[in-house]
Amino acid sequence: MNRIKLLILPIIVFAVGCKKMLQETVYTSINPDNVYATKEDIDAAVVSAFSIYNSTPTMLFPVFDVQSEYMSASELPNIKIFEDYTYASTTATTANFYAHNYVAINRCNAIIDRVPRQSKIDATLQKVYIAEAKWLRAWAYFNLVRLWGPVPLKLKETRTVSDFNVPASPVKTIYDSIVADLKTAMTDLPNKRNAGVISEKGRPNKGTAEFLLGKVYLTMAGLPLKDGSHLSEARDLLLDLYKNPLQYGFTLFNDFGQSFSLDGNPVNPVYQSGAKPLGADPTEIVFGIGHSTSTSPSFPSTMSYYTLPTLSVESSSGGNGLIGVTSSFGDLYESSDKRKTIGLITQWTNATTKVVNVYGTSGYGSPGGISGGYYIGKYRAQSGRVGTGIITFDNDQVIYRFADVYLMLAEIYNELDGPAADAFKYLNELRARAGASAFTSQQAGTQDSFRDIIYNERLREFIYEGHVIFDLRRWGRLQKAMLADPRPAGSRPVYKPEYELFPLPIAEVLNNPELNN
């Protein structure tokens, strides 16, 4: 983590050459509490807390999914290290994401600490702002605890060095804090936000809090805690969303590609600019990070840069083809499954030569250096930029989709009751949206076999959305994934238990002596 920078406001004392000191009249003063004096101030502070994720470290977040047995990265060092497990405490990609989460946490802590002191702000509105901050703080710690394990738990604004030097808390303690924050968020957030107001679009509501708490409880049931005592609560939270989606402004889009479209319509070969699905009512995107090249200041997206073919019409020549999936991943889809034709690029057109390159060829154009693989096509470029060489676009980053409600419910019912009818119900409803056939009890007669089905279904649905690394860890499948790495033995890494977590950034360890105790 970066060293804390304290803003020192100069205090200027004026003296006069006489025996009497002038009586000072204070017309105004600046102190931290004054920054939160109005509704507009507080709203800006909340937006600022969320905006830290509108940045490159968060856009690189899905890169961690290359630890899947079905993904591969090019030789670009800051990506390849995650496939090869050669990252270290000095790795900038992980260190920056770690630091960004703590910046967001400190901004949230300031809101939670200071807003209650503002007597002129309506009490109900105060609760909403605090609930937003607690939701974001919970999500930040959820990121940290799953990636790094025991980390410092800071629940007060950092103002002094002693506030900074905090020892790492046990994983269970961090999860307890996450749960407490989300319960407050569920109570105090409105059911829906006003999609017609720009500043309200995409901000968390009660349904967003229910979704995240359900996911937290499900994660706690896996490694390392193996605490399944909250699975029934998770089921009830997710069932509320499933039965009442419109109450929270959510829906399962009719077409898989709508969540990634720039106009809210099903995916076209080249996206069109227009009304994006993030923040719409209803929308499948439960939570996402908005991006735009036309706002001031602009928040451009590079989501497509790492996955789309170089010099292709599909990427407006702004892709780099650095990450791809193997041909065996394509084999996980049925021929009727729309997620393959939308989520994967099986052929692409060179923007200069107009030559159509079909997947499976080696050498130039192979995704992630994979011979016979696919490009990931979820984040494509909008029209009007073909051949421009621009690498920044308007694609929003999807963090959570309503589709996950279905797969989490299927998983929970399997964990509670085994592969009974309810487990198949939610799994097959989501598959029907994709045009895939229904699974039957003959295909998953045991709890373990149904877990395998859910694992593969989550890959088909959520590849390159930042879910895979967490599924591998909570299910204890990382070693299995490494053994299934298609690279020849000797050129692929060998599993070590320390690969289950990222090492703490060296700057954090050096700056915080409490981590060495």
Side-chain angles (χ1 to χ4, degrees), residues 116-306:
R117 305 176 195 171
Q118 310 306 320
S119 58
K120 295 181 180 180
I121 306 298
D122 176 75
T124 301
L125 189 57
Q126 284 190 24
K127 286 184 176 181
V128 173
Y129 286 130
I130 292 171
E132 284 188 280
K134 287 194 172 184
W135 187 93
L136 185 60
R137 184 170 71 177
W139 184 61
Y141 275 121
F142 193 40
N143 293 331
L144 289 165
V145 75
R146 290 180 297 167
L147 292 173
W148 285 276
V151 294
L153 181 62
K154 302 177 182 181
L155 302 178
K156 295 291 183 183
E157 182 183 2
T158 299
R159 302 188 189 188
T160 66
V161 173
S162 61
D163 295 332
F164 176 77
N165 294 335
V166 176
S169 291
V171 168
K172 177 63 166 59
T173 302
I174 297 170
Y175 272 105
D176 288 345
S177 176
I178 292 170
V179 169
D181 277 351
L182 291 176
K183 285 183 174 180
T184 299
M186 282 171 46
T187 300
D188 294 337
L189 285 172
N191 281 359
K192 294 170 68 173
R193 310 306 290 248
N194 189 344
V197 177
I198 294 296
S199 62
E200 287 274 295
K201 290 173 72 71
R203 289 167 75 156
N205 60 26
K206 179 179 179 180
T208 318
E210 285 190 353
F211 176 97
L212 188 55
L213 184 54
K215 180 171 282 292
V216 167
Y217 281 150
L218 183 55
T219 301
M220 290 170 66
L223 294 172
L225 292 181
K226 301 187 73 172
D227 177 7
S229 62
H230 300 286
L231 283 176
S232 294
E233 294 174 70
R235 176 199 60 202
D236 294 344
L237 290 168
L238 297 170
L239 278 175
D240 179 47
L241 292 171
Y242 172 82
K243 293 176 180 178
N244 308 291
L246 296 180
Q247 179 178 326
Y248 305 107
F250 300 139
T251 189
L252 184 72
F253 283 145
N254 291 329
D255 196 296
F256 168 78
Q258 283 180 262
S259 291
F260 304 96
S261 172
L262 286 174
D263 60 3
N265 293 319
V267 169
N268 299 311
V270 179
Y271 291 162
Q272 306 297 316
S273 295
K276 297 189 286 184
L278 176 62
D281 184 5
T283 181
E284 185 171 327
I285 303 176
V286 176
F287 181 62
I289 308 297
H291 291 275
S292 174
T293 57
S294 60
T295 57
S296 181
S298 64
F299 296 98
S301 170
T302 56
M303 290 303 299
S304 61
Y305 177 70
Y306 293 103

Side-chain angles (χ1 to χ4, degrees), residues 420-446:
D422 282 328
F424 284 97
K425 166 183 165 64
Y426 301 104
L427 167 65
N428 287 330
E429 284 183 7
L430 186 63
R431 286 177 60 79
R433 193 263 294 262
S437 64
F439 278 105
T440 66
S441 57
Q442 286 72 35
Q443 294 168 286
T446 67

Side-chain angles (χ1 to χ4, degrees), residues 54 89 99 107 117 122 191 223 270 302 316 334 372 395 506:
N54 199 304
S89 61
R107 292 179 183 179
R117 305 176 195 171
D122 176 75
N191 281 359
L223 294 172
V270 179
T302 56
S316 300
E334 296 175 344
N395 307 82
I506 188 63

Side-chain angles (χ1 to χ4, degrees), residues 395-427:
N395 307 82
D396 295 332
Q397 182 174 358
V398 177
I399 304 296
Y400 295 129
R401 290 192 285 118
F402 199 76
D404 207 359
V405 170
Y406 290 74
L407 292 186
M408 286 193 288
L409 281 170
E411 182 180 342
I412 289 169
Y413 273 108
N414 182 56
E415 296 304 315
L416 291 174
D417 306 319
D422 282 328
F424 284 97
K425 166 183 165 64
Y426 301 104
L427 167 65

Side-chain angles (χ1 to χ4, degrees), residues 49-71:
F50 279 88
S51 69
I52 191 65
Y53 292 105
N54 199 304
S55 58
T56 298
T58 305
M59 285 186 279
L60 283 173
F61 182 57
V63 167
F64 301 154
D65 283 356
V66 298
Q67 295 186 341
S68 164
E69 64 269 43
Y70 294 110
M71 292 187 71

